Amino acid sequence: MPDFAVQDLISRTLAGERVPLARALSWVENEHPQAGALLDACFERSGRAFRIGITGPPGAGKSTLVTQLAKAYRSRGETVAVVAVDPTSPFSGGALLGDRVRMVELAGDPGVFIRSMATRGSMGGLAVHTAQVCDVLDAAGFQRILIETVGVGQSELEVAQTADSTVVVLVPESGDGVQAMKAGLMEIADVFAINKADRDGADRAAFAVRSALELRAPTSEWVVPVELAVASRGQGVDTLVERFEEHLRFLSAGGGLERRRRQRLAQRLEDMVLDAMWAAFEDRVSDAERQAMLDAVVRREATPRQAAERLMHLAAERDDAALLD
Ligand SMILES: Nc1nc2c(ncn2[C@@H]2O[C@H](COP(=O)(O)OP(=O)(O)OP(=O)(O)O)[C@@H](O)[C@H]2O)c(=O)[nH]1
Ligand SMILES: [Mg+2]
């Protein structure tokens, strides 16, 4: 049973109060001992927000676009939360500072909430924290959640996949379409934005992306739109918002939204079980014992499979002993 202070923080967070909400998000990020109770309370009330991932190479204009998208959603009367995930070292901090400057025009609007998250611990942890942060924002009543990530590695793609719908932001510079395919961005894009269309080659880049899309085996009825944008001038932003909303309608009508969310929750569930199993294992088998077994493998006295089996056996024996206590 959560104590009074926790209960108070939960109810004020659910009511959408900004200061408690910010505190709640810090609890999630820092894995505060009471974060579990908070997350349970939020999870019950989540599932209403539409989560949009904005990903693409560094400097493509994602933060600029997110700022404009948030403004466009606000003028449509929707409340918006922005989660800017910065995969760079927490010590650099440069990108986050830049984002704050860029998003400053959203400040003061009670219908917008901006949160930057830096990498802490493992990248798997970052995807988990992002999903949890979104649950809290969702429960707090934000209707659209924009998640910005740099799409450069597998782990960043995992963060992008915490969204219901994903827009991949590219720039006209030649070769970007190919880059996107290599980086696995083609597979996750529901919408493409060719940003910085004030530069040469935007039409060519859009054509290259469309051609690449046509080469793929169709996996859905959804035809991935490729739109030009000049985020710094707010051009093409309304069209993008329209595409996201169309995609949401498409997903909702065909059961795709439920399927995507179910798959995402299955992944989260599995991650949590694996975490719990590993923690239980670590509790029961000491580091010294694991090292000793590793030594045996290194000396070729046991195969990795045999060693793993023995360690699991040891853990199971101690599990039984613990149950008899
Ligand atoms: N010419 C032009 N410049 C743009 C456009 N959109 C953004 N920029 C500029 O591109 C630079 C990078 O923009 P950001 O929005 O920080 O890009 P980002 O993708 O968020 O960057 P990271 O988060 O560091 O990966 C900034 O100097 C923007 O002003 C555009 O449509 N045209
Ligand atoms: Mg950015």
Side-chain angles (χ1 to χ4, degrees):
M1 193 63 194
D3 63 31
F4 182 73
V6 179
Q7 215 41 276
D8 185 53
L9 183 75
I10 291 173
S11 54
R12 291 171 67 188
T13 298
L14 293 177
E17 281 186 51
R18 302 178 78 88
V19 175
L21 173 58
R23 176 125 175 264
L25 296 177
S26 299
W27 276 22
V28 170
E29 268 199 281
N30 301 326
E31 298 180 352
H32 186 279
Q34 301 281 8
L38 168 82
L39 285 165
D40 288 348
C42 289
F43 186 78
E44 276 178 31
R45 298 264 300 255
S46 70
R48 293 173 298 174
F50 179 35
R51 305 179 185 191
I52 303 165
I54 294 94
T55 194
K62 299 179 295 296
S63 300
T64 312
L65 189 61
V66 164
T67 308
Q68 296 291 338
L69 290 169
K71 278 166 66 182
Y73 268 122
R74 288 301 292 137
S75 63
R76 292 167 71 114
E78 312 270 12
T79 54
V80 183
V82 173
V83 182
V85 183
D86 183 2
T88 55
S89 138
F91 302 107
S92 87
L96 287 186
L97 191 66
D99 282 350
R100 288 209 191 101
V101 172
R102 218 150 283 131
M103 293 179 185
V104 77
E105 48 185 312
L106 297 171
D109 178 349
V112 176
F113 192 93
I114 301 171
R115 182 73 181 192
S116 291
M117 289 177 62
T119 309
R120 220 168 275 141
S122 67
M123 282 304 272
L126 190 61
V128 171
H129 285 167
T130 305
Q132 292 172 337
V133 158
C134 289
D135 285 350
V136 176
L137 292 165
D138 187 337
F142 291 95
Q143 294 162 308
R144 297 291 179 269
I145 302 177
L146 307 176
I147 309 159
E148 176 189 342
T149 56
V150 178
V152 284
Q154 187 54 44
S155 1
E156 288 86 347
L157 293 185
E158 276 170 29
V159 174
Q161 275 162 327
T162 61
D164 297 315
S165 186
T166 300
V167 55
V168 170
V169 184
L170 301 175
V171 290
E173 277 67 54
S174 57
D176 234 8
V178 179
Q179 289 293 328
M181 276 185 282
K182 276 196 204 144
L185 292 174
M186 227 63 190
E187 286 69 33
I188 65 160
D190 298 302
V191 175
F192 269 102
I194 311 293
N195 190 40
K196 307 198 184 182
D198 51 330
R199 293 187 182 170
D200 286 342
D203 286 321
R204 204 164 54 238
F207 179 78
V209 172
R210 281 195 195 101
S211 310
L213 286 169
E214 276 162 21
L215 291 176
R216 293 187 320 176
T219 51
S220 145
E221 302 274 295
W222 176 252
V223 180
V224 176
V226 181
E227 304 293 348
L228 302 187
V230 185
S232 51
R233 292 188 212 140
Q235 286 169 13
V237 173
D238 286 330
T239 308
L240 283 171
V241 167
E242 210 34 68
R243 295 294 170 264
F244 299 152
E245 295 302 306
E246 273 166 24
H247 190 232
L248 173 61
R249 286 193 292 272
F250 169 84
L251 286 176
S252 305
L257 191 60
E258 257 169 70
R259 263 197 310 280
R260 280 186 182 202
R261 289 182 172 180
R262 186 182 174 87
Q263 199 180 354
R264 221 163 57 202
L265 290 173
Q267 186 63 51
R268 274 173 79 174
L269 188 58
E270 197 175 297
D271 288 347
M272 293 220 143
V273 170
L274 287 175
D275 268 3
M277 285 177 81
W278 180 251
F281 176 78
E282 274 187 317
D283 263 1
R284 286 168 178 72
V285 182
S286 73
D287 191 45
E289 287 168 322
R290 276 178 272 147
Q291 289 302 325
M293 198 56 83
L294 177 60
D295 289 339
V297 175
V298 171
R299 288 194 302 266
R300 294 290 190 276
E301 291 164 9
T303 69
R305 190 181 56 79
Q306 289 164 341
E309 247 169 36
R310 275 176 221 164
L311 289 173
M312 292 302 287
H313 193 73
L314 197 58
E317 263 175 19
R318 289 176 185 166
D319 210 19
D320 290 343
L323 286 176
L324 292 174
D325 271 350

